[in-house]
Amino acid sequence: MTLTNYLVLSGILFSIGAATVLLRRNAIIVFMGVELMLNATNLALVTFSRLHGDLTGQVMAFFVMVVAAAEVVVGLAIIVSIFRTRKSASVDDINLLKS
Amino acid sequence: MTFTVPEIAWAPLAPVLIVLGAAVVGVLVEAFVPRRVRRPVQLGLTLAALAGAVVAVALLWDEVADTGGTDVLGGSLLVDGPTLVLWATTAVLALLAVLVVADRTSTGEDAFAPQGAAVPGSGYEEAARAAGLQQTEVYPLVLFATGGMLIFPATGDLLTLFVALEVLSLPLYLLTGLSRRRRLLSQEASMKYFLLGSFASALLLFGIALLYGFSGSLRYAEIADAVRTVGGMDGLLLAGSLLVLAGLLFKVGAVPFHSWTPDVYQGAPTPITGLMAACTKVAAFGALVRVMYTVVPDLRWDLEPVLWTVAIATMAVGTVVALVQTDIKRVLAYSSIAHAGFVLTGVVALVQSGITAVLFYLLAYGAATVGAFGIVSLVRERGAVRPGARTGAGAAARVPALASAGSTADVVGTGAGAGAAAAAEDRAGVGTGAGAGPAGADADGEEPPVEATGPVLGEATHLSQWAGLGRTNPVLATTFALFLLSFAGIPLTAGFTGKFAVFSAAVEGGAWPLAVVGVVASAAAAFFYVRIIVLMFFTSPHGGPRDDADEEARPGAVVVTSQGFAVVAIAACAALTILLGVLPGPVLDAVAGVAQLLP
C-alpha cells in the first residue's frame, strides 16, 4: 500500500531531526531539528488518520502545530537572550554548569 | 450536518478551572493594575487560586470516594481517586512553593531578575535594578505551570497528555531563566532545559503517533483494548509505548534521561527549583502511573526488563554521583534522581498497593523538597567589599566582569564566550576582578579585604559555606536536618513511611531485586545526608571540605530574615514531614481507600 511510503518518509524525517538535535552544535539548528521531529510526527499522524479512516489524527496534528508555535516563542526568546549575553549560540560554549 | 453541544460536567473540573482561570486573570492584572499594588494583587490571587483548588478537591472527595470517579469532557479527563490525591498534593505543594517564591527576605529583593530581557551586566540591567523593578509575571507563570501539572496526571487520552505536558513545561523553561543572581547560569539552565525538554516532548509525540497508528484511537481505554485484541503490529505498539515512556521518564528525571536535572536545579532560581522538583515530579509520576497501569499493563513482560534497568540505574546513579557533589543544590538534584528511582520501584511493581505507595511517597518527598529548597533560598553569601572596585566597575559599564567574591571565579574563568565573560551575578561594586573583562583587569594579585558588613548576595550553595550553620542558626539547621533525614528515610519521618510503602509494594509485585537495590541505595544515600548534618553541627565555620584552590576567597554564609512567607512554608513542610512520619495511618488509609484508577 502506497500510504506506508508516507510513514517511511515520516520515520526518515524524524530520524534526521533527532540526529540534528544530537549532533549539531548551534542552538538554533538544534531547535530546527526539534521542529523537524514535530513535523515528521504530523505527517505520521495524518497518514495514520487516513489509514484508519477517522479524523482524530488530523485533529492531533492541528494541536501539535499550535503547541509547536508556542514552543518557538518560548525557545527563541531563551536562545536570543543567551545570544545577546554571550554573542554566541553554540551549545558547546554553554558549559558553566558542570559538576 | 448538525452540531451536537457536548455535555460537560463542570463541577469535577473545578480545581483545574480555578487555577487556569486565575492564571489568565493574572495576565490581565499584569496589564491593567498599577505597578504599586500589582504584587499584592498577584500574590493574593495566586494563593487564593491554589487554596481554592485544594478546597474544590476536598468538596469532590466524598462523591469520588463513593462512586469511584467520573470521566469528563468525553473521557479526556479522568477524575478518579488517584487524580484527586495528586491534585491535592500538587496544589498544596505549589501553595507552599509560591510562599517561598513570594518571600523577599530582609534584603528586599525577590529571587527574580528585574528585567528578564536585559543583558546580564549591561547598563540597562543596572538601571532596572536601581529603579527597583520587580517581576510579578512569575505568579501567572507559576499558575499556568500548576494548571498543566493538574491536567497532566488526570488525562484520559494522549492528545490531552501532550498538551498538558507543554502547558506545564513552557512556563517552567521561562521561570528557570529568570534568576536575579548568577544570570548566566540561569539562562544556561533555561536553554538546556528547553532543548532537552522539547526533544523529549518530540519523542513522546512520535510515540503517541505510533500508538495511534497501532490502535486507531488516542483514548487510553481504547488503546488498552487494542493491546489485548489487535495482533501483528507489535513493532508499532512496542516502539510507541517505549517512546511515550521515554517522554514521561524525562520529566521525572530518571536515568538515562536525567542529565538536565542537576544543571537545571542548580541554575534555576531556588524557589522555582523547589516548585519544579516537587510538583513536576508529582504530576509526571501521576501520568506515568496512569499509563503503566491502564494503557500498557498487558505489555508488562516486554516492558519490565526496560523499566527494571531504568529503576536500578536511576537509584545507583543518583546515589553514587550525589556522594561527590560539593554544591548543595546539586546534592539535592542528584538526591531527587535517586528518589525518582525509589518511586519507580513502586510504579514497576504493578500491584494495587503500588499506587497507594507512589501517591504517598510523592507527598512525603514533595513536602521535604519544598522545605529544603526554601531553606537553601535563605542561606546567603555576604560579599566582600573592596574599596575602589565600584569606580573601576562603574567606568566599564558596558561589560563589567563582575563576580561575587570567589564563589564564581570558576564561572568567570570558563565563560570565555566572545569577550562577554561577564558572570554579572551581582550588583556593581562587589567584583573581585577574577574575570578577564575590562573592569577586572586592574585587580590582578590583590587580595580583597573582607568586611563583615558587605552586601548580602546570592545563595551560599557551596557545601563548605554551610559548615557551622548549626551553631549560628540552630533552628534553621535543625529543620534542614529534619528534611535530610526524611530524604534518607530515617524512621519517624515521612520519608521512611514512603520508602517502606514503595519497597513493600515492589516485593508484593515480585520485584524484590528492586527493593534490595533500593534499600542498599538508601543506606548509601544516608551517608551524604548525614555528612551534611555533621558539617552543619559539628564543624566550625570555614572548616568544611576543601576541594579547590579558590577556597580562601569563598565568603561565609549568612542567614537572611524571611518576610514570614518562607517561614510559614518551611514550618508547614516540617510539620507535614513529621506528621506523615509519626502518624501516617490516616493519610495512608484515605489514599488507599480511593487508589483505584478508572480504566
Side-chain angles (χ1 to χ4, degrees):
Chain A
M1 192 158 155
T2 53
L3 277 177
T4 48
N5 291 340
Y6 290 101
L7 293 179
V8 173
L9 175 65
S10 140
I12 292 172
L13 287 176
F14 189 83
S15 310
I16 293 174
T20 309
V21 173
L22 297 175
L23 299 177
R24 293 301 293 266
R25 300 273 67 114
N26 186 305
I28 300 276
I29 306 281
V30 170
F31 188 39
M32 283 166 67
V34 172
E35 292 297 311
L36 188 58
M37 290 165 80
L38 294 182
N39 284 319
T41 310
N42 276 349
L43 182 60
L45 281 169
V46 172
T47 311
F48 281 130
S49 179
R50 181 68 189 262
L51 273 172
H52 288 296
D54 79 340
L55 293 177
T56 318
Q58 296 187 25
V59 172
M60 179 88 194
F62 276 113
F63 273 88
V64 173
M65 283 179 215
V66 173
V67 168
E71 222 172 55
V72 168
V73 172
V74 170
L76 282 185
I78 292 171
I79 293 173
V80 165
S81 72
I82 285 218
F83 178 79
R84 293 204 304 182
T85 308
R86 302 179 188 229
K87 308 286 177 274
S88 156
S90 166
V91 289
D92 281 343
D93 291 344
I94 300 173
N95 56 3
L96 302 182
L97 284 163
K98 272 189 182 161
S99 51
Chain B
M1 199 175 201
T2 56
F3 179 75
T4 323
V5 180
E7 286 280 321
I8 297 175
W10 295 103
L13 287 174
V16 179
L17 291 178
I18 291 172
V19 171
L20 287 179
V24 174
V25 174
V27 174
L28 295 176
V29 167
E30 207 56 46
F32 293 113
V33 172
R35 175 174 296 145
R36 208 165 22 82
V37 292
R38 212 179 279 163
R39 178 168 176 270
V41 170
Q42 289 282 26
L43 185 55
L45 182 69
T46 308
L47 294 178
L50 292 170
V54 177
V55 172
V57 170
L59 292 177
L60 287 171
W61 189 277
D62 281 339
E63 191 193 330
V64 170
D66 287 344
T67 62
T70 52
D71 54 346
V72 282
L73 298 173
S76 287
L77 226 56
L78 304 172
V79 184
D80 53 12
T83 297
L84 284 193
V85 175
L86 290 163
W87 278 358
T89 311
T90 311
V92 168
L93 293 177
L95 187 70
L96 297 173
V98 165
L99 287 175
V100 180
V101 168
D103 201 317
R104 283 180 174 175
T105 70
S106 53
T107 61
E109 293 172 333
D110 56 18
F112 301 96
Q115 277 283 314
V119 175
S122 65
Y124 177 47
E125 187 192 43
E126 181 58 24
R129 194 198 58 74
L133 293 189
Q134 305 258 4
Q135 292 275 4
T136 44
E137 288 97 339
V138 291
Y139 298 108
L141 284 173
V142 166
L143 279 182
F144 275 122
T146 311
M149 290 167 191
L150 294 182
I151 301 174
F152 197 47
T155 52
D157 67 33
L158 293 168
L159 195 164
T160 321
L161 181 83
F162 174 66
V163 174
L165 174 73
E166 293 296 328
V167 171
L168 90 84
S169 299
L170 292 179
L172 285 180
Y173 300 149
L174 291 175
L175 287 168
T176 303
L178 284 177
S179 179
R180 173 180 285 271
R181 301 168 193 285
R182 297 184 183 139
R183 287 198 58 202
L184 284 198
L185 293 189
S186 174
Q187 290 186 342
E188 175 178 325
S190 172
M191 175 138 144
K192 280 183 177 170
Y193 194 18
F194 169 74
L195 288 178
L196 291 172
S198 53
F199 182 63
S201 352
L203 290 181
L204 177 103
L205 191 62
F206 202 67
I208 291 174
L210 294 183
L211 284 183
Y212 172 66
F214 167 78
S215 67
S217 170
L218 292 170
R219 288 256 182 278
Y220 286 179
E222 289 169 26
I223 295 173
D225 284 341
V227 172
R228 278 180 225 111
T229 53
V230 178
M233 289 201 286
D234 287 350
L236 275 184
L237 173 63
L238 259 186
S241 37
L242 282 177
L243 284 172
V244 169
L245 288 180
L248 295 174
L249 288 173
F250 174 88
K251 273 290 150 201
V252 304
V255 175
F257 311 104
H258 69 293
S259 56
W260 61 277
T261 316
D263 288 356
V264 173
Y265 281 20
Q266 188 190 356
T270 307
I272 294 302
T273 312
L275 175 82
M276 218 160 37
C279 298
T280 310
K281 205 148 269 193
V282 172
F285 266 113
L288 187 63
V289 164
R290 194 176 289 281
V291 169
M292 282 301 297
Y293 280 69
T294 63
V295 183
V296 290
D298 295 305
L299 277 182
R300 64 178 300 174
W301 303 115
D302 295 310
L303 295 178
E304 223 163 44
V306 179
L307 287 167
W308 278 44
T309 317
V310 168
I312 290 174
T314 308
M315 287 186 278
V317 170
T319 307
V320 172
V321 184
L323 291 173
V324 297
Q325 297 300 317
T326 54
D327 185 290
I328 189 82
K329 284 169 90 176
R330 286 185 90 86
V331 170
L332 292 178
Y334 279 105
S335 133
S336 96
I337 295 174
H339 281 282
F342 299 141
V343 185
L344 269 179
T345 59
V347 177
V348 178
L350 283 180
V351 287
Q352 185 58 38
S353 63
I355 301 176
T356 315
V358 168
L359 295 177
F360 185 87
Y361 198 112
L362 290 171
L363 178 60
Y365 167 77
T369 304
V370 172
F373 280 109
I375 288 179
V376 172
S377 74
L378 291 180
V379 180
R380 303 289 181 87
E381 303 180 332
R382 193 179 278 294
V385 174
R386 184 168 57 83
R390 181 175 293 276
T391 51
R398 191 176 57 82
V399 183
L402 301 177
S404 87
S407 74
T408 53
D410 50 340
V411 171
V412 178
T414 54
E425 74 164 33
D426 283 307
R427 63 187 60 181
V430 295
T432 59
D442 62 335
D444 289 336
E446 287 183 29
E447 195 61 39
V450 178
E451 284 183 24
T453 55
V456 175
L457 306 176
E459 280 108 14
T461 54
H462 196 274
L463 273 185
S464 67
Q465 293 170 308
W466 285 62
L469 207 65
R471 301 184 183 181
T472 50
N473 294 279
V475 178
L476 183 104
T478 309
T479 319
F480 196 69
L482 170 71
F483 295 138
L484 290 178
L485 291 176
S486 179
F487 286 144
I490 305 296
L492 295 185
T493 60
F496 171 75
T497 322
K499 273 194 180 141
F500 187 80
V502 289
F503 291 155
S504 46
V507 170
E508 189 190 326
W512 61 267
L514 289 183
V516 171
V517 174
V519 171
V520 172
S522 303
F527 168 74
F528 63 77
Y529 297 125
V530 171
R531 194 184 60 164
I532 298 175
I533 296 173
V534 169
L535 186 71
M536 285 193 302
F537 286 97
F538 303 109
T539 314
S540 63
H542 303 294
R546 288 161 183 265
D547 65 317
D548 45 15
D550 65 351
E551 181 64 39
E552 296 303 326
R554 207 178 287 290
V558 55
V559 175
V560 293
T561 320
S562 154
Q563 276 184 321
F565 296 121
V567 167
V568 170
I570 294 167
C573 291
L576 214 56
T577 305
I578 294 177
L579 203 65
L580 293 177
V582 179
L583 286 173
V587 178
L588 269 177
D589 288 343
V591 173
V594 295
Q596 187 68 46
L597 289 163
L598 275 185

